[in-house]
């Protein structure tokens, strides 16, 4: 078995502060195109853009990193077009960091007749119906052409609810595919290849995956295979198990998590990075994110509401327009969705900034309790969150 150890990595991580009660921490993550602090939420720009928002608007908001999708960009416009432009940053005129996923998740979530074999993922092209193959080598070639700051390995993606040998085989195959990804990776000094911890909800398999992945000495690691319909008690226990064993000197990326309760709880459990389509997708469903939950601004109750979405938010939308005007736009024009997208991006940025500041001040447990009381004034807290936080020393209920 070949072991790949990369002494040259295109990132550095410095721990700036830790919570004296929980496992939360603030780190400075230095990447080729940007340096920023974690915990961080990464917005998803599937096809080289966050829907409805320009890169200038993202820069004005202070967005430090976005996601791109290897599967979609690999199809259209294709790696050759992006490579000819000098990489994805130049192609989309974005000078901050980019993380690209491997394309494996889309094989399962979007495509019919996807079939995972040892060689790779066979699937039917959504464009012409022909049979195609995505291998670890092909995924690396696309991502090397995109020149993202962080690349994700191709992993064997199965539903988290899958039981038995298929889940175990997916965990082992993902390790073998990481070896192939590391061998195929051509730009080690410019791009960071993250491994993905698998193993479903079985602690023994997660520990086995952790041991194997960590031995490959990746620049960072993702906790994969969650947020797929599992019970929340299994979700948080799996996250906590992984953060207990992941290296302290490497970033920890929890994939597919974006609800505000999850962001607060999983930061307490020791995660550094998150991504999800939720904030921008929920804007397209006319909902604005606030500390008390969501405002469905298309609802008639906002037709005469002269308040802004959030008086504490400094985004362009909140500084400029009332809920009543946004209600009108959302019923008449796509501009309303764009304005809500800007707000929801700003909301997630401010939430993560507040989390980081409270950790640095060693007041994170107080922040957690105030956050939950604002969101659940009746103190009807989710039981999974109560227990997850109790496991790291934060008591929500007296």
């Amino acid at each position: 078995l070949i072991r790949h150890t990369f002494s040259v990595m295109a990132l550095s991580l410095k721990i700036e502060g830790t919570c004296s009660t929980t496992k939360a921490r603030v780190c400075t993550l230095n990447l080729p195109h940007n340096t920023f602090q974690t915990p961080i939420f990464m917005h998803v720009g599937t096809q080289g853009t966050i829907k409805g928002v320009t890169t200038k608007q993202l820069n004005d908001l202070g967005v430090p990193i976005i996601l791109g999708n290897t599967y979609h960009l690999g199809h259209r416009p294709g790696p050759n077009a992006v490579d000819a432009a000098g990489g994805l940053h130049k192609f989309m005129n974005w000078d901050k960091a980019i993380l690209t996923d491997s394309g494996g998740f889309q094989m399962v979530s979007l495509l019919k007749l996807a079939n995972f074999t040892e060689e790779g993922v066979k699937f039917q092209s959504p464009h012409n119906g022909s049979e195609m193959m995505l291998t670890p080598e092909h995924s690396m070639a696309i991502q090397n052409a995109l020149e993202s700051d962080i690349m994700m390995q191709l992993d064997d993606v199965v539903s988290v609810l899958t039981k038995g040998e298929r889940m175990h085989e997916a965990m082992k195959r993902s390790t073998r595919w990481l070896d192939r990804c590391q061998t195929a990776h051509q730009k080690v000094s410019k791009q960071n290849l993250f491994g993905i911890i698998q193993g479903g909800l079985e602690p023994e398999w997660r520990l086995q995956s952790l041991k194997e992945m960590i031995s490959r000495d990746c620049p960072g690691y993702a906790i994969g295979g969650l947020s797929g319909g599992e019970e929340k008690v299994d979700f948080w226990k799996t996250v906590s198990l992984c953060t207990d064993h992941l290296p302290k000197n490497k970033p920890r990326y929890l994939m597919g998590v974006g609800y505000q309760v999850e962001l607060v709880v999983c930061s307490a459990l020791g995660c550094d990075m998150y991504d999800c389509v939720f904030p921008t997708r929920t804007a397209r469903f006319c909902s604005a994110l606030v500390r008390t939950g969501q405002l469905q601004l298309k609802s008639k109750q906002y037709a005469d509401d002269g308040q802004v979405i959030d008086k504490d938010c400094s985004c362009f939308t909140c500084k400029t327009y009332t809920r009543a005007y946004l209600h009108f736009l959302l019923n008449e024009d796509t501009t309303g969705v764009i304005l809500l997208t800007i707000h929801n991006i700003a909301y997630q940025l401010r939430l993560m900034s507040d989390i980081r500041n409270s950790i640095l001040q060693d007041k994170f447990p107080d922040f957690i309790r105030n956050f939950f009381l604002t969101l659940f004034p009746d103190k009807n807290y989710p039981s999974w969150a109560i227990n997850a936080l109790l496991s790291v020393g934060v008591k929500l209920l007296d």
Side-chain angles (χ1 to χ4, degrees), residues 271-282:
C271 295
D272 301 316
M273 303 166 67
Y274 310 92
D275 82 284
C276 189
V277 297
F278 168 70
T280 47
R281 179 174 288 173
T282 201

Side-chain angles (χ1 to χ4, degrees), residues 122-139:
K122 287 184 179 179
F123 62 96
Q124 193 176 75
S125 169
H127 304 298
N128 58 22
S130 63
E131 186 177 89
M132 303 180 70
M133 171 73 77
L134 179 67
T135 66
E137 293 77 13
H138 187 209
S139 178

